[in-house]
Amino acid sequence: MQELTENNVLQPAIPSSWDEATKPHKFCPGCGHGIILKCLGEAIDELGIKDKMVFGCDIGCSLLAWDFFDVDSVQTHHGRTTPVITGMKRANTDIIGVAYMGDGGGYAIGSQHLFNAAVRGERITILLCNNCNYGMTGGQMAPTTLPGMKTETTPYGRDVEQTGYPTKGPEMVAAVAPEGAYIARGTIANPRQLKGFIKKALQNQMEGNGISFVECLSSCPTNWRTNAKQTWEFVEKDMAEYFKVGELRTPQAKEG
Amino acid sequence: MEKVIKIAIAGEGGQGVQSIAEILAEAANEEGKNALYIPNFGVEQRGGVSIAFVQISDGQIGAPKFQKADILIPVSPRAVQRTTMYAGKDTIYIYDNSLIQEGEVNDNIVGIQYFDVTPPCPTSHHPNEDQPQEMIAGEPKTCSFSRPGPGVDPKDIPEVKKVLAIPANDIAKNEMHPRVFNIIILGAVIAATEVLPMDAIKQALESKLGDKFKKNPELREMNFKALERGYQLIKTAM
Amino acid sequence: MAEVSLKGEQRVFMTGNEVCAWAVVAAKADIMYGYPITPQNEIMHYWTRLAPKHGKRFLQTEDEISAGFTTLGGVMSGRKAFTATAGPGNVLMQESAGMAEMMRIPIVYIIQQRGGPSTATVIYAQQETTLTTFGGNGEGHRIVYSTASHQELFDYTIKAFNSAWTYRFPTFVLGDGYQAKMREPLTLYDPEEKGQKLVEPKAMLGDTDKPERESKHLRNTYNTEDELYEVVMKNQHDWDKMAKEVVEWDAKGCEDADVIFLTHGIVARAALTAYNQLRAQGKKVGYFRPITVRPFPGEQLKEACKNAKKLFVAESAYGQLMKLVQHEIFGSTIEIVPMLRPGVGITTEEIIEEYNKL
């Protein structure tokens, strides 16, 4: 509630870090990306870091965000957003680097980069949109596809005997990242909480503590073939049951 | 060398243009003709408008795309604007002159791989059964979002051999069912090209939608009525 | 999916991706490893649907590097394994192709070319010709079939397995996004019913049917320059021998032609139609199409263009086919007329328009 009535002024509908010229945005109706990027936009506004930010996006639906913000942006290759932003940040530590990707870009083709960035404690903020499938390419299985879930490459349902269980990314990052990491999982079903996580993830980078990683449970009605009600049920019940929402690691409070 | 008939159909993502092109090509194939159908992708039409290229011949077919169409059918105002490069002096041109605005996918979207993608209707009870046509394997599914609009501006129509206007959208909405809009267009294409008998198309529709027809025989009647209507509209206009 | 039985001959009407899925079933492939990338996703979609019915296996790997190496593994354990990719995925697959070249592993890759470089477009190009024929840090010891129709996609995918397992070079079926997505008719068949022999796969390692076997030690590393020279030269020798048997091309009207249209893949269809139309008008044109772009039918091309004045090279890339041609006809004084359209389709009308400008 605090953010809403900060100065007794209603929050603006569009974050100023958003680029108005490229709105309405290009995501499908019912897509979760719009909500995640709204949270990110508000966080950028509140922290006043627009001019320092570099926003990197991956291939797939996250690519549609390449001209979303009024902020320096770069679209990279599939899975390579983490290393590109890592490279930028190490070369110019004044940058606030945000790597934005989907479940493939983080947990499949980009997993080696995510893992190693976590181990090294890269001072960047990684935001990952988890919607349990590869949306843009037509709905194939993703590392986060739920057991039994039908996708284009699991037409009979995901068989965990053959393909293992859905990847729990934040848990993996939390297990290997050194002290100073901020790791959380939010959901579009609770945007206020999600914005809080994203803001803390950015602050963690600003303070130079360690790696910041937020996974966002998101929706894809186009490929799930769900109506509005079914979409929300899937995010709020099915996904949340498997992927636990909350903060996994926060940096230790510094000695006084 | 046998003649190759070149047909280009264009419309918005939700109008089902690719479905009818596929039915047309399959019907031609069933009739023993050579057919080639390729869905859009053109540097010329920058996003949004969906174009289907169909070629039918008794002989060999060369490149999958062509410069000028023998029959050009843009079924939305934006498709009319975006397909002028396919209109030549020998082209027969069919467009929809209803006053309607089909939901348009935004221009210049960098990164989108399928322009026909829209989600299932958010309020439908059974989104998967809400589609009048089976999803073409590998092609995304569509939902139509249409509302009243200014219609086609006659100034946008290029110089062609013959122009035919049919109010398919109006007929679909007022007399039949909005979902059979593209089947009306299909009937029109048959009448204009005269390359296939009506029965061939009915057969192709039957094989494509047979399961749905069995579940709901009214669907068959509706589709065939729409076909006939589109056919008649062109026949009387020509 | 179409109802296909592969018994007898069946005429079908389907997309190129679906054709590939049926072709690998007809070739008796066992397992596919792959990763999504447009425009070849549907090969995986069809394969995963028919896999249980035909006793086939599948794994979607974490990326194309893994898909390439898991497929190498499948091949090494004596199964017909294959993978499919496009564009940036093809770039990643080159690492595994290099290992296949060095270790003579009969892997089959299906490539559906898209725009390049980098992400470019998901649509179409012929810009992976260089990558597919000479990608990797080696000498291009591989076989590449460039198809132009669905019938060829079917025939040559089956042939790719036979060529790979006979000569033991990585073999590529080089299609493109247009072929992947378009629908046209073809005849499916069971190759063995037609008297075509399918080469049996043999295990390189882990042949658990023969527990008494001697253990094998395979490597792709060498210690000295001379060692490496021997290995590469032996591979080159085998490759040259294979080239004579595998090379394929198509040529028409080159004997008395002034201008020869030289194209590969789907552009060859536009060129063939242009050839037919211009010949009907009495123009002295010729048509040459390499079906194997690796090994390239260089001798045959030199022979075909010895009386011609101009070699009209048309491709949806900026000189990738042209470079291969120039290498093969080195010493010839024929003028090369390039029609280079990277990432863009080429129609018959456009070829004729350019021809008329000559």
Side-chain angles (χ1 to χ4, degrees):
Chain A
M1 290 321 275
Q2 191 181 350
E3 296 101 335
L4 248 189
T5 56
E6 193 93 79
N7 295 311
N8 270 332
V9 170
L10 268 175
Q11 289 251 306
I14 286 194
S16 69
S17 55
W18 277 23
D19 185 350
E20 273 195 59
T22 57
K23 305 294 172 287
H25 62 60
K26 320 300 195 288
F27 297 104
C28 293
C31 172
H33 275 289
I35 300 176
I36 301 169
L37 295 172
K38 175 95 179 278
C39 296
L40 175 59
E42 288 178 352
I44 296 171
D45 281 359
E46 284 169 27
L47 294 171
I49 50 174
K50 208 166 85 115
D51 55 323
K52 291 203 175 77
M53 253 199 65
V54 175
F55 177 80
C57 60
D58 199 274
I59 300 296
C61 292
S62 70
L63 203 167
L64 297 175
W66 78 286
D67 60 352
F68 197 93
F69 289 98
D70 182 15
V71 140
D72 282 341
S73 307
V74 59
Q75 171 243 322
T76 65
H77 281 192
H78 193 25
R80 315 301 179 206
T81 313
T82 302
V84 170
I85 296 296
T86 297
M88 292 194 80
K89 176 79 187 203
R90 281 189 174 245
N92 178 0
T93 47
D94 287 338
I95 288 173
I96 302 292
V98 172
Y100 190 65
M101 63 196 70
D103 18 49
Y107 302 149
I109 191 168
S111 54
Q112 60 162 312
H113 306 305
L114 177 63
F115 175 81
N116 283 288
V119 166
R120 292 191 300 256
E122 295 294 343
R123 269 64 167 164
I124 63 173
T125 303
I126 301 171
L127 298 180
L128 190 146
C129 171
N130 171 2
N131 57 16
C132 294
N133 82 130
Y134 284 8
M136 182 56 76
T137 44
Q140 293 84 19
M141 183 185 93
T144 47
T145 298
L146 295 183
M149 188 173 162
K150 291 201 176 132
T151 67
E152 286 300 327
T153 44
T154 57
Y156 307 107
R158 178 175 186 164
D159 181 359
V160 295
E161 286 295 309
Q162 289 292 311
T163 62
Y165 285 88
T167 302
K168 291 192 177 153
E171 285 80 352
M172 182 271 288
V173 174
V176 301
E179 176 46 51
Y182 176 81
I183 299 158
R185 182 189 278 112
T187 171
I188 57 166
N190 191 344
R192 195 155 295 146
Q193 180 194 50
L194 178 59
K195 188 189 86 167
F197 291 164
I198 292 177
K199 196 168 166 190
K200 279 177 156 178
L202 290 169
Q203 275 166 322
N204 200 48
Q205 184 183 161
M206 289 160 75
E207 290 162 18
N209 295 331
I211 190 161
S212 318
F213 177 64
V214 180
E215 178 187 293
C216 318
L217 300 184
S218 182
S219 58
C220 182
T222 301
N223 283 299
W224 294 351
R225 310 308 300 151
T226 48
N227 61 26
K229 185 159 168 288
Q230 293 162 336
T231 303
W232 282 110
E233 267 174 23
F234 195 76
V235 178
E236 288 177 310
K237 295 214 193 62
D238 302 78
M239 287 175 73
E241 212 177 279
Y242 193 86
F243 301 109
K244 298 281 179 270
V245 170
E247 290 175 328
L248 284 86
R249 275 186 56 182
T250 53
Q252 301 275 29
K254 292 207 165 44
E255 298 288 302
Chain B
M1 268 169 313
E2 284 89 345
K3 174 113 176 57
V4 178
I5 301 185
K6 302 178 173 131
I7 306 165
I9 315 173
E12 302 302 323
Q15 292 187 303
V17 152
Q18 301 298 341
S19 306
I20 58 175
E22 204 216 331
I23 292 170
L24 187 58
E26 278 187 6
N29 178 62
E30 287 299 312
E31 285 290 297
K33 293 189 191 295
N34 203 1
L36 196 161
Y37 152 58
I38 190 168
N40 68 313
F41 306 133
V43 288
E44 321 91 3
Q45 41 67 237
R46 292 161 57 225
V49 170
S50 175
I51 305 185
F53 300 90
V54 179
Q55 296 183 66
I56 300 176
S57 172
D58 287 320
Q60 272 194 336
I61 296 175
K65 308 220 333 219
F66 43 79
Q67 301 282 78
K68 299 295 178 204
D70 295 318
I71 321 259
L72 178 56
I73 307 120
V75 298
S76 78
R78 193 165 64 150
V80 167
Q81 293 164 342
R82 293 282 178 81
T83 54
T84 46
M85 76 285 291
Y86 298 113
K89 54 180 177 46
D90 293 320
T91 304
I92 298 181
Y93 192 94
I94 304 174
Y95 74 96
D96 185 317
N97 60 351
S98 319
L99 296 173
I100 201 156
Q101 186 93 15
E102 179 64 43
E104 294 178 356
V105 174
N106 254 310
D107 251 336
N108 280 328
I109 304 182
V110 170
I112 277 224
Q113 297 187 10
Y114 299 105
F115 293 114
D116 291 47
V117 171
T118 53
C121 281
T123 50
S124 131
H125 284 293
H126 299 285
N128 278 319
E129 276 140 50
D130 193 32
Q131 309 303 313
Q133 288 90 29
E134 273 287 310
M135 182 184 103
I136 300 165
E139 273 215 34
K141 320 87 174 176
T142 65
C143 171
S144 176
F145 298 103
S146 62
R147 58 183 195 279
V152 171
D153 184 351
K155 284 204 299 294
D156 289 335
I157 298 172
E159 289 282 313
V160 289
K161 181 157 163 218
K162 194 171 176 71
V163 177
L164 300 158
I166 51 170
N169 257 313
D170 285 341
I171 295 172
K173 206 158 83 79
N174 301 330
E175 296 174 35
M176 298 189 172
H177 189 288
R179 297 300 191 161
V180 296
F181 156 77
N182 63 345
I183 303 294
I184 298 175
I185 298 294
L186 184 55
V189 175
I190 296 302
T193 58
E194 292 185 320
V195 67
L196 295 172
M198 181 61 90
D199 285 335
I201 296 292
K202 288 192 174 161
Q203 186 51 49
L205 267 179
E206 193 72 56
S207 24
K208 208 169 172 56
L209 304 173
D211 297 330
K212 295 201 191 270
F213 286 173
K214 264 202 280 280
K215 267 200 255 178
N216 183 2
E218 275 179 24
L219 216 57
R220 177 191 284 116
E221 237 204 81
M222 196 166 70
N223 273 283
F224 284 5
K225 237 177 87 186
L227 251 183
E228 300 278 351
R229 194 76 159 82
Y231 188 87
Q232 285 310 319
L233 277 168
I234 291 300
K235 276 294 174 215
T236 42
M238 274 182 109
Chain C
M1 298 186 64
E3 279 305 310
V4 172
S5 77
L6 282 179
K7 285 280 155 259
E9 291 192 354
Q10 187 177 352
R11 190 169 163 78
V12 292
F13 187 78
M14 47 173 67
T15 59
N17 281 336
E18 194 174 354
V19 172
C20 291
W22 288 112
V24 290
V25 171
K28 298 214 169 43
D30 288 291
I31 186 164
M32 175 187 186
Y33 297 97
Y35 189 78
I37 187 163
T38 311
Q40 57 82 50
N41 295 318
E42 289 79 12
I43 299 178
M44 282 192 304
H45 299 180
Y46 289 115
W47 181 262
T48 51
R49 279 157 180 75
L50 51 82
K53 304 187 189 114
H54 295 259
K56 309 292 185 195
R57 281 162 295 177
F58 173 78
L59 176 66
Q60 184 179 312
T61 55
E62 63 274 22
D63 62 14
E64 287 90 349
I65 300 175
S66 177
F69 282 97
T70 45
T71 308
L72 285 180
V75 169
M76 289 198 289
S77 44
R79 306 288 185 269
K80 283 190 177 171
F82 75 100
T83 185
T85 191
N90 193 359
V91 173
L92 297 181
M93 294 268 185
Q94 294 306 316
E95 196 190 339
S96 53
M99 179 161 146
E101 280 187 45
M102 176 60 107
M103 300 173 77
R104 304 294 296 277
I105 303 174
I107 180 174
V108 172
Y109 298 89
I110 300 176
I111 309 290
Q112 303 284 32
Q113 297 172 93
R114 49 183 266 176
S118 183
T119 314
T121 65
V122 301
I123 302 167
Y124 160 84
Q126 293 190 314
Q127 292 171 285
E128 292 165 48
T129 306
T130 306
L131 185 65
T132 310
T133 51
F134 284 98
N137 59 334
E139 310 299 338
H141 289 154
R142 40 181 78 185
I143 300 170
V144 181
Y145 293 105
S146 178
T147 56
S149 70
H150 284 11
Q151 191 64 62
E152 285 187 0
L153 261 183
F154 187 77
D155 298 339
Y156 284 99
T157 300
I158 296 172
K159 191 178 273 193
F161 283 96
N162 276 350
S163 297
W165 284 91
T166 303
Y167 301 101
R168 305 192 74 85
F169 290 107
T171 306
F172 295 79
V173 178
L174 188 64
D176 58 63
Y178 282 169
Q179 289 181 64
K181 299 286 185 175
M182 74 189 202
R183 279 166 201 267
E184 69 169 1
L186 72 151
T187 304
L188 301 186
Y189 54 86
D190 182 335
E192 290 184 312
E193 263 185 33
K194 286 187 103 175
Q196 291 172 24
K197 208 175 158 313
L198 291 179
V199 179
E200 283 295 311
K202 274 204 290 284
M204 288 166 82
L205 294 176
D207 195 354
T208 44
D209 288 337
K210 303 197 182 80
E212 301 302 315
R213 69 187 183 280
E214 261 185 47
S215 37
K216 284 226 219 80
H217 301 89
L218 304 179
R219 59 166 169 151
N220 48 55
T221 315
Y222 296 91
N223 286 331
T224 66
E225 300 97 311
D226 303 309
E227 253 190 298
L228 177 66
Y229 179 80
E230 300 294 321
V231 171
V232 175
M233 290 308 285
K234 167 151 194 323
N235 286 343
Q236 182 69 48
H237 175 260
D238 289 347
W239 192 88
D240 290 331
K241 201 154 149 273
M242 170 281 295
K244 293 192 179 60
E245 294 167 33
V246 161
V247 71
E248 284 191 43
W249 75 100
D250 189 17
K252 294 193 199 310
C254 294
E255 307 76 22
D256 68 332
D258 291 330
V259 176
I260 297 180
F261 295 129
L262 200 155
T263 55
H264 81 105
I266 201 154
V267 178
R269 290 167 73 134
L272 184 59
T273 311
Y275 163 82
N276 284 328
Q277 284 182 8
L278 289 169
R279 273 284 176 180
Q281 294 169 24
K283 301 281 200 289
K284 287 205 167 35
V285 291
Y287 164 85
F288 190 95
R289 171 198 166 204
I291 299 176
T292 50
V293 281
R294 185 96 181 120
F296 196 95
E299 289 304 314
Q300 294 82 358
L301 175 58
K302 280 220 281 272
E303 180 62 30
C305 64
K306 67 174 193 271
N307 295 326
K309 301 200 181 65
K310 294 186 209 260
L311 206 49
F312 184 113
V313 179
E315 56 176 322
S316 298
Y318 201 83
Q320 297 194 21
L321 173 66
M322 196 167 76
K323 276 205 290 284
L324 295 175
V325 168
Q326 287 169 319
H327 168 83
E328 296 291 337
I329 63 167
F330 179 71
S332 162
T333 51
I334 195 171
E335 182 192 339
I336 292 187
V337 177
M339 181 178 173
L340 311 177
R341 302 275 190 275
V344 174
I346 295 177
T347 59
T348 303
E349 295 93 319
E350 286 166 313
I351 292 182
I352 295 181
E353 203 181 305
E354 287 303 307
Y355 168 82
N356 286 332
K357 289 187 193 157
L358 294 178

